[in-house]
Amino acid sequence: MILRVENLSVSYYMEYGKIEAVKNVTFDLEKGEILSIIGESGSGKSTLAKAILRAIRYPGKIEEGSKIFFNGTDILSMKESDFKREILWKRISYVPQSSQNSLNNTMRVIDHFYDTAVSHGVNDKEEVKRTAKELLKMVRLDPDRVGKAYPFQLSGGMKQRVIIALSLLLNPELIIMDEAVSSLDVATQRYILEIIKDINKKTGVSIIFITHDISIAAFISSRIIVMYAGEIMEEGKTEEVIKNPLHPYTAGLINSVPSINSNVSQIKPIKEGYASIEGCPFNNRCEKAMEICKLSEPPIYNVNNRKVRCFLYGDNKA
Ligand code: SF4
Ligand code: MG
């Protein structure tokens, strides 16, 4: 196991009150695994990513009792300077949301690699150049041409591949990718997802892949966590979750996506609505809601190697 997130809660303390963006989230990530975290915007998935990167800033706060073990060490209890020096980018790197804009248009691509290396204490320019070329090749870019280019000369898909290559520069054990292909057209998405899978196979790097698109999660990952209103609703092997979603929210996500649900006449969006504060957070959007769903919050039930937070699977129901 490379990562264990335990009872992670993150809140934003706003003037008008507290927003619980992530609530008591617990999960493990195995070495070499690609795990997708999926949910609509506001489900807490980006906050979860930021917490692992220790990038939660005021008015956000990681609550007492939260733990994130990376190779057995609780990185939340490390000094921030130690985390930045020893872990960030070198052992846990990331591809941020809308990352294509994170490249500097006045710097050649290769200089981004030098810059990243130097700012993490790696100063051997020749070595960085060699590694950068290898990585650009790995993301199927021409290392010489693209290395010399400026970001504005590249397409969105090429820039995204540069960012992925950069995230690999210091040979991390874990990469967190937040909506890494969301801004791209479908054909480019597919191509880049193939590249990411390939990198995972070749290097064994573990990946947490955050997306709002369940068809992307289905394609890239071996396991899926479905989040809603800051909580885990369902967790299981990708194949099983897609074939037989247990949680009504997961089922809704699958039924609203044409590429998974091949029967177009059955495509059906999830009923609109806000997360409920009382009871099950999904109760005002759920077609299967029962009386109890409005009164109390369901716990997580274990059902055939699956975790599901829904009263339909309680002892007296399933
Ligand atoms: Fe629907 Fe109730 Fe299950 Fe929530 S607990 S998902 S409201 S059936
Ligand atoms: Mg987000």
Side-chain angles (χ1 to χ4, degrees), residues 27-142:
F27 69 89
D28 297 334
L29 177 72
E30 296 303 327
K31 216 169 151 47
E33 186 180 25
I34 304 183
L35 166 71
S36 285
I37 298 186
I38 109 132
E40 295 162 302
S41 62
S43 59
K45 53 199 196 309
S46 289
T47 301
L48 171 61
K50 282 189 190 143
I52 300 170
L53 297 162
R54 300 256 325 236
I56 301 289
R57 299 284 171 264
Y58 179 85
K61 184 177 176 280
I62 296 177
E63 302 288 7
E64 286 301 309
S66 304
K67 292 196 173 6
I68 299 177
F69 296 101
F70 175 64
N71 285 314
T73 303
D74 181 9
I75 53 175
L76 294 182
S77 64
M78 286 177 85
K79 274 214 285 196
E80 188 165 346
S81 53
D82 291 344
F83 177 78
K84 280 195 173 148
R85 194 179 54 245
E86 289 161 22
I87 308 278
L88 195 61
W89 212 265
K90 284 187 184 159
R91 302 186 65 192
I92 305 180
S93 74
Y94 57 98
V95 173
Q97 209 165 348
S98 58
S99 52
Q100 294 163 45
N101 307 324
S102 67
L103 293 173
N104 181 341
N105 272 324
T106 67
M107 268 167 61
R108 292 180 310 159
V109 165
I110 190 72
D111 294 327
H112 288 78
F113 286 86
Y114 296 143
D115 234 43
T116 304
V118 168
S119 67
H120 292 88
V122 180
N123 293 305
D124 184 341
K125 215 170 168 181
E126 276 314 302
E127 162 100 52
V128 174
K129 192 173 177 179
R130 217 171 357 197
T131 311
K133 284 191 170 186
E134 267 170 39
L135 292 173
L136 288 171
K137 253 191 250 165
M138 201 186 291
V139 296
R140 303 180 201 168
L141 291 167
D142 175 337

Side-chain angles (χ1 to χ4, degrees), residues 279-280 289-298 301 311 316-317:
C280 170
M290 305 165 280
E291 216 29 62
I292 185 175
C293 307
K294 297 197 173 72
L295 302 172
S296 43
E297 158 126 51
Y301 297 103
F311 284 123
N316 39 4
K317 295 279 167 16

